[in-house]
Structures are given as structure tokens and as C-alpha cells.
């Protein structure tokens, strides 16, 4: 099994054990719940009316609710956080690219002047290739054997 599945399984097992411990602690601290009335569709229900089959269904429903909650927390919450952060990062990068493009357009006359100065300097000095050819023509090259 992969590490993610093992982590999810252990998380769900721990959550199930903690929820059982929480329910037991609540029942023990409150006392008998026979007088508890549940209002469902305008009809009162007392816990004393329920038998073992009802408790198994209730336990299954609570277990299903815990599993769904854990899956939502483990799978949905990271996406709910990561997707907006990714969108914000892309918007920020796009804004920075636009700022750089606007700055390049604003400073383009300066860039053109700097390029012209560099080109004039380069032509005035002569390129390295033309110097190498001039030295080769003037006898700077020797053949050794």
C-alpha cells in the first residue's frame, strides 16, 4: 500500500477511536439518556424507544459521518487552500511580467541609446575576428611541423 493510503487509514482509525471515546465520555458524564427527547418531523422520540437495531444504525451513521468528514478534511481542504494560492501566484507572476514589459517600453529609448553606444564602441574598436585576420595577414601565424 502506498504511504498516502496508510496515512489515511491510520487517520480514520484514530478519528474513529476518538469519536467513540468522546461519545462514551459524554454518555458517562451526562448520565442516563432515557429521558432525552429528540424532535424529528414534529414528532417527539425518546431514546428509551430505540432497541439494539436502532443503535447499530445510529453507530453506522456516525461512522459514515466521521469517514466522510475525514475525507473532506484530507482531500477537499488542501485543494481549497492550494487552488486559490496557485491562482494568486499566477496572477502575481502575470502582474510582474506586465510591470517588466511596461518598464521596458518606458525605458526603451534609453535601451536603444545604450545599444547604439555599444554598437559604435564595438565598431570603433574593431571586432576580435577582424583583429585575428589582420594578424594572420601580417605574418602573425606560423606553421610548425
Amino acid at each position: 500500500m502506498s504511504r498516502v493510503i496508510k496515512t489515511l487509514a491510520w487517520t480514520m482509525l484514530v478519528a474513529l477511536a476518538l469519536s467513540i471515546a468522546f461519545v462514551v465520555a459524554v454518555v458517562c458524564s451526562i448520565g442516563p439518556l432515557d429521558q432525552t427527547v429528540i424532535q424529528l418531523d414534529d414528532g417527539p422520540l425518546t431514546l428509551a424507544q430505540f432497541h439494539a437495531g436502532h443503535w447499530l444504525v445510529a453507530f453506522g451513521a456516525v461512522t459514515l459521518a466521521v469517514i466522510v468528514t475525514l475525507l473532506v478534511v484530507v482531500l477537499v481542504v488542501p485543494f481549497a487552500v492550494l487552488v486559490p494560492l496557485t491562482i494568486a501566484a499566477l496572477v502575481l507572476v502575470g502582474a510582474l511580467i506586465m510591470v517588466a514589459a511596461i518598464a521596458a517600453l518606458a525605458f526603451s529609448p534609453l535601451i536603444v541609446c545604450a545599444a547604439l553606444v555599444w554598437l559604435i564602441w564595438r565598431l570603433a574598436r574593431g571586432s576580435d575576428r577582424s583583429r585575428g585576420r589582420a594578424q594572420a595577414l601580417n605574418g602573425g601565424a606560423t606553421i610548425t611541423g
Side-chain angles (χ1 to χ4, degrees), residues 4-73:
V4 173
I5 294 174
K6 285 182 184 179
T7 304
L8 287 175
W10 277 108
T11 304
M12 292 192 335
L13 185 64
V14 168
L16 181 64
L18 288 175
S19 64
I20 290 171
F22 178 71
V23 169
V24 168
V26 167
V27 168
C28 290
S29 66
I30 294 175
L33 298 174
D34 292 339
Q35 300 347 343
T36 304
V37 177
I38 300 171
Q39 194 75 16
L40 186 65
D41 290 333
D42 295 330
L45 299 171
T46 60
L47 292 180
Q49 294 174 338
F50 297 130
H51 53 79
H54 292 115
W55 290 110
L56 289 175
V57 170
F59 178 74
V62 168
T63 304
L64 182 64
V66 167
I67 289 172
V68 168
T69 303
L70 286 174
L71 287 175
V72 165
V73 166

Side-chain angles (χ1 to χ4, degrees), residues 69-115:
T69 303
L70 286 174
L71 287 175
V72 165
V73 166
V74 170
L75 297 175
V76 174
V77 170
F79 288 118
V81 172
L82 291 178
V83 169
L85 285 177
T86 304
I87 291 171
L90 290 175
V91 167
L92 184 63
V93 167
L96 289 175
I97 289 172
M98 290 302 295
V99 166
I102 290 170
L105 285 175
F107 294 118
S108 62
L110 184 62
I111 293 171
V112 169
C113 288

